[in-house]
Amino acid sequence: FVRINGITKSNISEVYEILIDVVKTAPKGKEGSELSEKLKIEGVEVKMDHNSTFVLLCSHNTRDKKCGQTAPYMKKEFESQLGEHNLLRDSNDDRPDGAQVIFINHVGGHKFAANVLIHKRNGEFIWFARCSPLNVKPLVEETIINGKIFPDNVRTCKKFESIDW
């Protein structure tokens, strides 16, 4: 995971072009260091992100009211459960191997319950659908900590090569 700080309206196109070039041309596993070397725009900084997991929650209120209503409860429950395992991090916490919970925009397919997208540093991506706050504890303890997947709630599951620094 990488963080790119300092992106503005005036430099977004240039940052995007460099990012796409690095993703297309960098040797597998070296994307992070290549991006750090090539992204030399004044005020823009590339940093390694030390989290091991990102939990993304659809919170779009106008496309699907259910997400707008459920996401804040899901976020509170994720933060509580991750906190019990000393995994909860915020954007200013650089301790390694934590997890951040972030609201995202509409991802579709969730008229009756929330979507939870889990990205892990090791390259795993799991998209769970039809989730409620009751699903959070098993998602933290079984999926985030132990790598178990619940097929009944999975919309998609992929494994990518992780980026190395």
Side-chain angles (χ1 to χ4, degrees):
F1 296 135
V2 297
R3 285 191 186 271
I4 304 175
N5 297 323
I7 297 175
T8 64
K9 284 173 79 173
S10 61
N11 67 21
I12 184 72
S13 294
E14 188 178 1
V15 170
Y16 180 75
E17 286 178 24
I18 294 169
L19 180 62
I20 293 303
D21 178 60
V22 167
V23 169
K24 287 181 178 178
T25 62
K28 290 286 182 210
K30 298 295 180 193
E31 293 91 341
S33 56
E34 290 274 330
L35 184 60
S36 190
E37 288 174 19
K38 290 184 177 181
L39 196 56
K40 300 292 185 192
I41 300 170
E42 187 176 333
V44 176
E45 177 188 31
V46 179
K47 289 178 29 178
M48 180 179 173
D49 191 296
H50 297 280
N51 287 303
S52 63
T53 305
F54 281 92
V55 178
L56 309 176
L57 303 172
C58 178
S59 61
H60 198 280
N61 200 30
T62 54
R63 287 278 302 211
D64 189 339
K65 298 280 187 226
K66 190 66 172 178
C67 283
Q69 295 166 353
T70 307
Y73 297 110
M74 296 287 289
K75 188 170 195 267
K76 274 185 159 178
E77 188 63 21
F78 266 108
E79 289 174 345
S80 173
Q81 294 297 324
L82 289 166
E84 286 184 20
H85 295 281
N86 199 28
L87 294 173
L88 182 62
R89 306 289 189 267
D90 64 23
S91 59
N92 296 318
D93 189 342
D94 282 341
R95 289 179 295 154
D97 302 324
Q100 271 190 19
V101 184
I102 301 170
F103 289 140
I104 60 170
N105 208 333
H106 182 69
V107 293
H110 50 290
K111 289 195 181 278
F112 307 106
N115 276 313
V116 175
L117 290 78
I118 298 175
H119 288 270
K120 297 179 84 176
R121 175 179 294 286
N122 67 4
E124 289 178 320
F125 166 75
I126 309 112
W127 178 356
F128 292 100
R130 300 180 315 274
C131 293
S132 77
L134 297 174
N135 298 112
V136 173
K137 185 173 184 170
L139 287 175
V140 168
E141 293 179 352
E142 297 299 327
T143 301
I144 292 174
I145 294 173
N146 294 318
K148 181 179 177 182
I149 296 173
F150 303 95
D152 292 346
N153 293 71
V154 170
R155 288 200 65 175
T156 191
C157 186
K158 298 202 183 242
K159 174 78 170 152
F160 300 96
E161 288 186 40
S162 60
I163 292 174
D164 193 20
W165 283 72

